[in-house]
Amino acid sequence: MDWIPVYTPYLRGNVFAYVNECLTTGWISSRGEFIDRFERAFEAFSGAPAATSVANGTVALHLALVALGIGPGDEVIVPSFTYIASVNTILQAGATPVYADSLEATLQVDPAAIRRAVTPRTRAVMAVHLYGHPCEMDAIVGICRDHDLLLVEDCAEAFGSRWKGRHVGTFGDAATFSFFGNKTITTGEGGMVVARDPAVMARARHLKSQGQSPTREYWHDVLAYNYRMTNIEAAIGLSQIELADEILAGKRRIAAAYRAGLAGLPLRTHDPVGEIDHSYWMCSVILNEPAAREPLRDHLRQCGVDTRPFFPPAHLMPHSRADGSFPVAASLSQRGINLPSFPALTAAQIDYICRTIADYFHQQS
Ligand SMILES: Cc1ncc(COP(=O)(O)O)c(C=O)c1O
């Protein structure tokens, strides 16, 4: 069996025609028709009222926070168990991350822990829909209402995920997406900001493009950024949106095959809990015993299968360290493995991966 990577982008359909159109017309920077076409297609797919494309999912978060007016003196509640960009952008906005623990079953932030973390300085909650499973949005929206907090959804890993039929990213005051090469839909590097309030969206659009005055050339009325996406990236993104249903169906097929193929082993798959659509950005397993994680990953590597470990908790990293106990985050981060999850993975490859995992456990017993 050839090497099986964790991810490889699904570049099919109109991608070559659209990118060629950018090259032949010369529209290769951040102006051109694909920007608008991609943003409108994204709004139509997600149900978001307004979307603006940006250079990646990290600057999307930073832009969303700044456009909402979050800054020094503000606390933002965020799970410790997340990718570091969620936390870094809170720090970069000048605010303070306050960590909440996660739920073992879903891997998502625990609403009860969010409630306990609220202080008079809390300004916002950042809900991160990790590995494609939505957070408990009814509870989180309720907490934000009760305490008059802004809600930011980090949907970098959750394109195609739905809570009670509604796409993630449509619950918050603002939400962000990533289109890195390993994301469910990709633009190479890229991201999207969505916002409910037209004034917040207008601020995001203004800030992402150097704060350019709409009425006076080369006049910039605020300290701002160049966070723009290129037309080539948007051309790739449009072709990906056209394939979104096919990609998501492929991921659901893969997750179901892993669930069946790994049944009975000392681990569990990351299954949907509640009335949700799991987009399976990553198909993950959570081992019963943390000690098995690295030996199993070594075994898979030797057999030609790439994997990733779960994210280490942000509260333990040098620049974002915080006191406090986040036992579920700490435990999950030691027991989780992301398996190959790309939509073109074949049934034979999945069968081989499952057998390789089963062999490891049988050798141990
Ligand atoms: C949860 C989360 N937030 C933010 C990001 C940042 O996105 P990007 O890599 O596009 O900057 C990622 C990227 O993987 C992510 O997983």
Side-chain angles (χ1 to χ4, degrees), residues 56-58 61 82-83 85-86 128 154 156-157 178 180 183 190 311:
N56 58 61
T58 305
L61 278 169
T82 185
Y83 181 61
S86 320
V128 186
D154 180 349
E157 305 183 1
S178 164
F180 185 68
K183 291 301 190 296
F311 303 123

Side-chain angles (χ1 to χ4, degrees), residues 3 23 26 33 69 87 94 111 115 132 163 170 179 188 212 253 278 301-302 332 334 363:
W3 175 251
L23 297 174
E33 64 165 80
V87 174
R115 211 179 266 284
W163 169 263
T170 60
F179 308 125
Q212 168 63 48
R253 169 187 59 80
H278 193 328
R301 195 177 301 118
Q302 279 158 24
L332 284 173
Q334 291 171 10
Q363 280 165 22

Side-chain angles (χ1 to χ4, degrees), residues 55-61 81-87 89 126-131 154-158 176-183 188-192 281 308 311:
N56 58 61
T58 305
V59 300
L61 278 169
F81 183 47
T82 185
Y83 181 61
I84 197 62
S86 320
V87 174
T89 49
M126 186 185 286
V128 186
H129 308 287
L130 219 55
Y131 302 125
D154 180 349
C155 312
E157 305 183 1
T176 64
F177 291 80
S178 164
F179 308 125
F180 185 68
N182 67 9
K183 291 301 190 296
E189 291 276 1
M192 196 70 84
W281 170 53
R308 297 174 19 153
F311 303 123

Side-chain angles (χ1 to χ4, degrees), residues 199-221:
V200 174
M201 183 44 69
R203 219 157 29 240
R205 290 197 170 112
H206 188 56
L207 288 168
K208 85 167 188 184
S209 199
Q210 307 287 21
Q212 168 63 48
S213 158
T215 52
R216 186 171 167 193
E217 284 173 289
Y218 295 101
W219 187 257
H220 308 274
D221 47 21

